[in-house]
């Protein structure tokens, strides 16, 4: 099984076709929010590094992840600059906010949930890169395909770290819990297009 096949099996649903149409219709917003997502992913990794200083495996994986996400951020804003797309402040999507709202408050449960949410965010990003690539111009198609390997590894890193902090039955229970929320966020309609939004009418 390839990493992409593993991710597709992990996610509770496919990205709706209508969202793909929304993305093609909103190329500037797609890139602006993609840049924001890369920044947020790096910030999440750094926050984990600061909070869990005694977990060397986490420190190493999150350090590498933060560097890669910032490199992706640099690549996205370079594409935006070449296309004369202004980098503006836009509101965040409900996706990550609502997933993280369900994280349990106390450790070690808190860390387990944060890691599982991270796995879902990275998995969905990877799935969307793969689904979107064929519908984009050649530069963006090549770029999004180039991200699949690292984003797929980020999903695996988050899930591996979670499995080292809890039993497999607990991990599966929490994955199922977040999967239901994730599916609802992906399939229900949104009023604004974002990289992790649901489809717009």
């Amino acid at each position: 099984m390839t990493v992409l096949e593993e991710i597709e099996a992990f996610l509770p649903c496919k990205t709706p076709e209508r969202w793909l149409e929304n993305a093609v219709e909103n190329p500037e917003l797609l890139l602006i929010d993609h840049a924001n997502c890369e920044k947020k992913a790096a910030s999440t990794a750094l926050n984990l590094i600061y909070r869990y200083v005694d977990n060397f495996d986490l420190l190493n994986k999150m350090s590498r992840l933060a560097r890669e996400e910032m490199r992706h951020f640099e690549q996205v804003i370079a594409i935006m600059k070449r296309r004369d797309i202004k980098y503006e402040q836009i509101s965040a999507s409900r996706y990550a906010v609502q997933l993280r709202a369900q994280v349990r408050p106390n450790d070690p449960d808190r860390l387990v949930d944060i890691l599982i949410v991270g796995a879902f965010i990275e998995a969905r990003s990877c799935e969307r890169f793969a689904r979107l690539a064929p519908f984009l111009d050649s530069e963006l198609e090549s770029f999004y395909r180039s991200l699949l390997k690292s984003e797929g590894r980020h999903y695996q890193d988050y899930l591996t770290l979670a499995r080292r902090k809890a039993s497999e039955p607990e991990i599966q229970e929490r994955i199922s819990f977040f999967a239901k929320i994730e599916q609802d966020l992906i399939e229900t309609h949104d009023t604004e297009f974002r990289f992790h939004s649901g489809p717009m009418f």
Side-chain angles (χ1 to χ4, degrees):
M1 184 183 290
T2 67
V3 175
L4 186 56
E5 288 170 338
E6 181 184 333
I7 282 170
E8 289 170 345
F10 173 77
L11 291 170
C13 64
K14 289 185 175 181
T15 287
E17 294 295 325
R18 181 58 186 145
W19 183 89
L20 297 172
E21 295 170 1
N22 296 154
V24 173
E25 294 163 359
N26 294 276
E28 294 190 5
L29 262 181
L30 175 69
L31 286 170
I32 292 169
D33 201 47
H34 181 183
N36 287 340
C37 290
E38 300 293 358
K39 274 198 304 186
K40 290 171 188 173
S43 177
T44 296
L46 290 172
N47 286 338
L48 288 170
I49 287 172
Y50 278 107
R51 186 178 180 100
Y52 299 100
V53 296
D54 59 340
N55 187 329
F56 283 102
D57 195 20
L58 181 147
L59 295 177
N60 281 315
K61 289 184 185 301
M62 291 299 104
S63 176
R64 179 179 183 182
L65 189 150
R67 290 197 306 273
E68 289 180 337
E69 301 289 21
M70 287 311 298
R71 176 59 183 148
H72 297 163
F73 170 73
E74 292 167 4
Q75 291 173 305
V76 176
I77 60 173
I79 291 171
M80 290 170 59
K81 185 176 180 181
R82 287 197 294 275
R83 296 175 182 222
D84 199 27
I85 298 172
K86 184 179 179 182
Y87 191 9
E88 299 176 319
Q89 293 288 347
I90 60 172
S91 60
S93 73
R94 63 194 172 123
Y95 179 81
V97 172
Q98 292 195 19
L99 284 172
R100 290 181 178 133
Q102 300 302 317
V103 168
R104 291 171 289 181
N106 301 314
D107 283 318
D109 296 339
R110 181 180 186 276
L111 177 57
V112 170
D113 284 359
I114 289 171
L115 293 170
I116 290 172
V117 167
F120 271 107
I121 293 171
E122 296 292 341
R124 183 59 66 185
S125 297
C126 193
E127 185 254 4
R128 289 198 159 175
F129 289 143
R131 295 286 308 281
L132 260 178
F135 300 99
L136 302 175
D137 61 68
S138 58
E139 180 186 35
L140 283 182
E141 178 182 9
S142 177
F143 175 51
Y144 276 22
R145 290 190 188 283
S146 76
L147 297 177
L148 295 178
K149 183 177 180 180
S150 58
E151 297 297 329
R153 187 179 62 256
H154 297 167
Y155 145 78
Q156 291 176 322
D157 284 346
Y158 273 117
L159 214 49
T160 297
L161 289 167
R163 287 192 162 115
R164 290 175 184 168
K165 296 298 293 183
S167 67
E168 192 58 27
E170 181 187 352
I171 293 295
Q172 290 306 316
E173 189 273 329
R174 295 308 287 174
I175 287 173
S176 296
F177 172 80
F178 282 108
K180 292 174 185 174
I181 300 168
E182 206 265 354
Q183 182 169 1
D184 183 64
L185 291 167
I186 290 300
E187 291 186 336
T188 57
H189 285 87
D190 266 308
T191 57
E192 293 182 312
F193 171 78
R194 296 291 184 267
F195 188 82
H196 288 106
S197 67
M200 294 168 59
F201 285 109

